[in-house]
Amino acid sequence: MAEGETASPGPKKSGPYISSVTSQSVNLVIRGVVLFFIGVFLALVLNLLQIQRNVTLFPPDVIASIFSSAWWVPPCCGTASAVIGLLYPCIDRHLGEPHKFKREWSSVMRCVAVFVGINHASAKVDFDNNIQLSLTLAALSIGLWWTFDRSRSGFGLGVGIAFLATVVTQLLVYNGVYQYTSPDFLYVRSWLPCIYFAGGITMGNIGRQLAMYECKVIAEKSHQE
């Protein structure tokens, strides 16, 4: 090598890694935003059904949207949906058990339809007492998990989500934020945990499908490169 010449610097090893991390972060944000808006939409639709049947009652001064729902309900549900939808695939990776049961969008859409049906049944179907309704919705919710999930992590997260969401709802009702008609389980309806369980399974399935779609796109880009 001639004097005065300097060796050209080799390719930076950190470049691809930084690019990969940035891409994963962007995809994570995109998935979170998509899940948030899905949760907002479902909250507006499902809460409207509950209000029309006088299952939930909000004070007049907090009614503040075209869907006759308290303004804070859709954002809270959207945030919870984003957290749940991102948590499910994260737990799958942590446990080393990727969820592969019925991994297609048609199955996810059927899961959403069943969840909406379960919520609709809680507001529309009349039973002799709340115990019969609660047992029926519990069976339907477990059936939803068995049909579209069947993973131990999914069931465990669903139960945890149902418990935590029910406690938060009880605190809100206790502090007079809103109320349920004919409460029979510590200020709320006894079937409420079933709805939260089914909702957790549904958003978990959507989150898993979005994560799988992201992995496919990244794999295709890597193959092209």
Side-chain angles (χ1 to χ4, degrees):
M1 182 180 294
E3 293 184 359
E5 292 183 0
T6 57
S8 58
K12 295 182 179 180
K13 295 182 179 180
S14 60
Y17 174 77
I18 294 176
S19 176
S20 175
V21 171
T22 303
S23 178
Q24 290 178 1
S25 300
V26 172
N27 290 331
L28 187 68
V29 172
I30 292 175
R31 280 193 286 138
V33 171
V34 172
L35 289 165
F36 174 83
F37 281 107
I38 292 175
V40 168
F41 175 76
L42 289 176
L44 290 172
V45 173
L46 300 180
N47 198 44
L48 177 63
L49 294 175
Q50 301 286 346
I51 292 175
Q52 285 182 337
R53 292 288 292 180
N54 291 324
V55 176
T56 55
L57 298 175
F58 291 91
D61 57 336
V62 301
I63 302 300
S65 80
I66 59 175
F67 289 98
S68 299
S69 173
W71 67 268
W72 50 268
V73 173
C76 289
C77 292
T79 302
S81 298
V83 172
I84 294 170
L86 295 175
L87 184 61
Y88 265 73
C90 180
I91 294 296
D92 290 339
R93 287 193 298 268
H94 180 72
L95 296 177
E97 300 177 356
H99 188 260
K100 298 180 180 179
F101 181 71
K102 291 189 176 182
R103 292 292 86 210
E104 61 272 346
W105 279 111
S106 59
S107 176
V108 174
M109 296 307 297
R110 288 194 297 270
C111 182
V112 173
V114 173
F115 169 59
V116 173
I118 292 175
N119 192 285
H120 188 65
S122 70
K124 286 285 187 180
V125 179
D126 294 323
F127 284 81
D128 293 335
N129 53 63
N130 283 329
I131 295 179
Q132 292 181 0
L133 177 59
S134 300
L135 292 176
T136 301
L137 294 181
L140 291 174
S141 299
I142 294 176
L144 180 142
W145 167 78
W146 180 256
T147 304
F148 300 104
D149 192 317
R150 296 192 186 181
S151 67
R152 291 175 297 177
S153 60
F155 186 85
L157 282 172
V159 172
I161 290 166
F163 174 78
L164 182 61
T166 301
V167 170
V168 172
T169 303
Q170 289 171 333
L171 291 175
L172 292 174
V173 174
Y174 177 77
N175 287 283
V177 177
Y178 68 102
Q179 60 181 315
Y180 282 87
T181 57
S182 305
D184 62 321
F185 179 62
L186 297 177
Y187 309 109
V188 299
R189 303 292 287 269
S190 57
W191 44 259
L192 191 62
C194 304
I195 301 297
Y196 286 142
F197 175 85
I201 298 297
T202 301
M203 295 310 303
N205 273 344
I206 297 174
R208 283 167 166 168
Q209 190 66 24
L210 288 173
M212 190 183 74
Y213 177 77
E214 173 192 324
C215 291
K216 284 184 177 180
V217 171
I218 293 176
E220 289 177 357
K221 288 183 178 178
S222 300
H223 181 71
Q224 291 174 359
E225 293 175 357

